[in-house]
Amino acid sequence: MAEAKKQNFLHGAVILTAGVVVMKILGAIYKIPLQNILGDTGYGYFFASYTIYNFFLTISTAGLPVALSRMISRANTLERPAQARRIFRVALATLSVLGVIFTLIMFFFPTEMAILFVSKAEVSRCVMALAPAVLLVCLTSAFRGYIQGCGNMIPTTAGQVLEVLVKVIVGLALAVWLTRAGKSLPVSSAGAIFGVTAGSLAALAYMLWCYLKQYHGNSMEICRQSADRPDSIGSTLGEFVKIGVAITLGASVMSVISLVDTKLINLQLPNVPGIGAALADELYGSYSAMQTLYNLPAAFITPMTISVVPAISAAVTRAAHREVGAIAESGMRISAVISMPMGVGLAVLSVPIVGILYPNTNAMGAEILTYLGVASIFVCIALVTNSILQANGNEILPIVSMLAGGIVKIVCNLLLVGRPEINILGAAIGTIACYAVLCLLNCVFIYRKLQVKPRYMQVFARPLVSTLVMGACAWAVYGLAARVLHVAGNESRLPMLVAMCAAIAIAVVVYLIMVVVTRSVTAEDMKLVPKGEKIGKLLRIK
């Protein structure tokens, strides 16, 4: 049974990860041209408004869908179809109410939200354009949580790909049209971000169709045939809110910290000697653009967190402690194997990456990405460890670690951003410190709470050795190729691209060899990769 559950967990992660690859390609097609269309200042408006939207979205959807997925998984494990149906109905009603409230706040008070949260009244139009998306995502999250709790990750993946595709088409089309029509940057930015709302509507329509087609009729028929009697609405709502609020509080801490980060940057930077308001907007816009690349590794880890929750919850319900430990360790190890090379790659190749993708951004963009690349590793590990604690019934502990990390972030911003020689880099340094503290505390909590203790040296040390060797090779190959091809600044984009591709190709080969040599992954982990079991046997991975 343990093996079967493990395979289900890995299979779900594979499906979601495949979708992420497609979404990241589409997302790059959306955000990279968007920065070049709007410039650093316009993209700063886009990103600032998205921070406000993400805050409301976190409050309404960060914890409740996870609680729904966990409760549905447990009800299905206990063969209680009527209770599963009641859980879904309670969750849908709760998320609908929250979505309506927050959408109305954003729509009718956009200027107040912009000034209060990010000190930029210019982003009010963007906030208004995003308002309907909160309700749409709330409703979509209810259907996703239910279907994921049933162990089916395919509709979630397909819906997310559709969402991004519509977002790209609508957002870019409006951004180009409004810019060519001579509209102001705030208006053009609002048009660009309206793509998010359009994509959310498409995702909701698709998830509703999947639910009605595959689950609605079947669940009603199963409930009629079952002797299961659901718990009362009050008790179901109470459990749903208890679990969901705890998780939401933890997620909201980081969302609040992100808002505080944005506000502190916009308050401090203009007053730094030698910078001023115009350059401050430009630096924040460049920092925002680098966030797109910084979030890339985390996007590949998010599928792991979605699959971990129902898998561990089901194992906890059966008191299968060894299985809980195996899934937790596998999740952390795979997150390290994926995130470490991606983060280090962003750091050591930051100059060509920024030069190719964002040639018009501020000169500090590459240095910002170097720091954020390192930070992205800790972010990925934090995401997985948060999910492990939440799925194991320890929802409060991630809140503690997030609060500690958030305080460190704020302190770093206050101490560093206002210094002329550091300025915007202080925010990136604070991000590293924040998530490093968060990861350390989470790992301590997991070790204390799980009956089968994770082997941290095997989980993190081996991928780290492989990554350091890979990073050194990437740095050396790019440096050599850049000299041979006479790369000299952003005007040499084609030679720079060739040099960077050569460095990445060599780095990938070196990393794969090192992963095998150091035994960074196991045969169980290889099931995450299509045809992974055959590859594992070929490479003699045990």
Side-chain angles (χ1 to χ4, degrees):
M1 177 65 75
E3 182 66 20
K5 287 293 179 181
K6 185 72 172 295
Q7 288 177 359
N8 289 338
F9 148 64
L10 294 174
H11 180 66
V14 171
I15 293 171
L16 291 167
T17 302
V20 165
V21 173
V22 177
M23 287 188 291
K24 287 295 104 182
I25 294 172
L26 293 173
I29 294 173
Y30 178 52
K31 291 184 178 179
I32 293 174
L34 205 58
Q35 191 275 341
N36 291 310
I37 293 170
L38 300 176
D40 280 341
T41 301
Y43 194 83
Y45 296 156
F46 176 96
F47 190 80
S49 64
Y50 198 87
T51 303
I52 298 171
Y53 161 73
N54 191 56
F55 170 71
F56 286 107
L57 201 63
T58 299
I59 294 176
S60 54
T61 66
L64 297 180
V66 176
L68 172 59
S69 175
R70 178 172 148 186
M71 291 172 69
I72 292 290
S73 177
R74 186 174 62 190
N76 288 336
T77 301
L78 297 174
E79 298 182 351
R80 299 193 61 194
Q83 176 62 11
R85 185 172 177 79
R86 171 148 293 177
I87 291 168
F88 169 66
R89 288 182 168 182
V90 168
L92 181 61
T94 305
L95 286 164
S96 298
V97 170
L98 288 174
V100 168
I101 292 172
F102 293 137
T103 289
L104 291 176
I105 290 174
M106 289 180 64
F107 189 81
F108 288 108
F109 304 101
T111 303
E112 291 80 358
M113 297 294 101
I115 295 174
L116 174 65
F117 288 125
V118 296
S119 299
K120 281 186 177 295
E122 297 90 341
V123 307
S124 60
R125 292 179 183 268
C126 293
V127 174
M128 185 178 291
L130 277 171
V134 178
L135 174 58
L136 296 171
V137 173
C138 283
L139 296 174
T140 304
S141 296
F143 293 106
R144 281 178 180 165
Y146 176 79
I147 294 173
Q148 288 167 9
C150 294
N152 187 0
M153 304 299 170
I154 294 176
T156 292
T157 302
Q160 289 174 334
V161 171
L162 175 64
E163 179 179 353
V164 177
L165 180 61
V166 173
K167 178 176 71 175
V168 170
I169 294 173
V170 175
L172 282 182
L174 286 174
V176 171
W177 177 60
L178 291 171
T179 302
R180 289 180 178 176
K183 301 297 181 181
S184 65
L185 272 180
V187 173
S188 298
S189 300
I193 210 160
F194 184 76
V196 175
T197 297
S200 300
L201 178 60
L204 174 59
Y206 175 77
M207 293 305 295
L208 178 60
W209 177 78
C210 288
Y211 171 75
L212 293 175
K213 180 183 178 182
Q214 301 178 38
Y215 294 95
H216 180 65
N218 290 339
S219 65
M220 290 181 65
E221 181 63 27
I222 293 172
C223 288
R224 280 195 293 266
Q225 296 176 2
S226 172
D228 176 40
R229 291 295 177 267
D231 299 341
S232 67
I233 293 176
S235 63
T236 301
L237 176 61
E239 184 181 9
F240 179 64
V241 171
K242 179 182 177 182
I243 298 173
V245 167
I247 297 173
T248 298
L249 286 174
S252 296
V253 170
M254 297 317 301
S255 185
V256 170
I257 295 306
S258 180
L259 277 172
V260 173
D261 181 38
T262 299
K263 192 171 182 68
L264 286 177
I265 291 173
N266 288 317
L267 285 176
Q268 289 180 279
L269 268 186
N271 298 317
V272 175
I275 291 185
L279 182 56
D281 282 346
E282 183 180 314
L283 287 172
Y284 176 71
S286 183
Y287 176 74
S288 303
M290 296 310 109
Q291 295 273 345
T292 301
L293 299 172
Y294 151 76
N295 288 324
L296 182 62
F300 284 85
I301 298 302
T302 300
M304 183 72 60
T305 67
I306 295 173
S307 294
V308 158
V309 172
I312 290 183
S313 295
V316 169
T317 302
R318 299 193 310 273
H321 302 300
R322 188 169 298 279
E323 184 182 342
V324 171
I327 295 174
E329 185 174 302
S330 183
M332 287 187 288
R333 181 166 53 248
I334 295 165
S335 69
V337 168
I338 294 173
S339 64
M340 286 183 179
M342 293 184 74
V344 170
L346 288 174
V348 300
L349 297 177
S350 61
V351 171
I353 290 172
V354 173
I356 293 167
L357 298 179
Y358 300 106
N360 300 319
T361 195
N362 186 275
M364 290 189 70
E367 196 171 356
I368 294 171
L369 183 59
T370 298
Y371 287 101
L372 290 180
V374 175
S376 69
I377 299 172
F378 294 110
V379 172
C380 292
I381 297 171
L383 287 172
V384 172
T385 51
N386 276 351
S387 294
I388 291 169
L389 288 169
Q390 291 164 355
N392 196 50
N394 306 118
E395 300 90 353
I396 300 299
L397 295 179
I399 300 177
V400 176
S401 56
M402 288 182 185
L403 279 171
I407 292 171
V408 170
K409 169 67 171 168
I410 292 173
V411 170
C412 287
N413 272 29
L414 290 173
L415 293 178
L416 300 177
V417 174
R419 299 179 64 175
E421 68 275 21
I422 299 177
N423 59 78
I424 192 66
L425 294 178
I429 295 170
T431 301
I432 296 177
C434 167
Y435 282 98
V437 169
L438 199 160
C439 288
L440 178 61
L441 289 176
N442 275 359
C443 287
V444 171
F445 293 147
I446 289 173
Y447 194 84
R448 292 182 62 183
K449 291 298 180 181
L450 265 59
Q451 294 195 23
V452 178
K453 310 300 182 185
R455 297 165 294 177
Y456 285 133
M457 283 300 294
Q458 181 176 330
V459 169
F460 297 121
R462 294 177 181 180
L464 179 60
V465 171
S466 301
T467 298
L468 292 177
V469 174
M470 179 221 72
C473 289
W475 174 81
V477 170
Y478 177 76
L480 178 61
R483 289 188 180 185
V484 171
L485 297 171
H486 305 291
V487 174
N490 290 357
E491 65 275 8
S492 310
R493 291 178 71 188
L494 181 58
M496 184 183 288
L497 176 62
V498 174
M500 185 183 74
C501 289
I504 292 174
I506 297 297
V508 169
V509 173
V510 169
Y511 184 69
L512 290 176
I513 293 172
M514 288 300 301
V515 163
V516 175
V517 171
T518 60
R519 299 184 183 275
S520 298
V521 295
T522 67
E524 285 293 307
D525 300 332
M526 289 303 296
K527 293 174 185 176
L528 272 174
V529 184
K531 305 295 183 182
E533 293 180 72
K534 293 182 178 179
I535 298 173
K537 289 179 180 178
L538 180 65
L539 298 176
R540 297 182 180 180
I541 295 176
K542 300 180 180 179

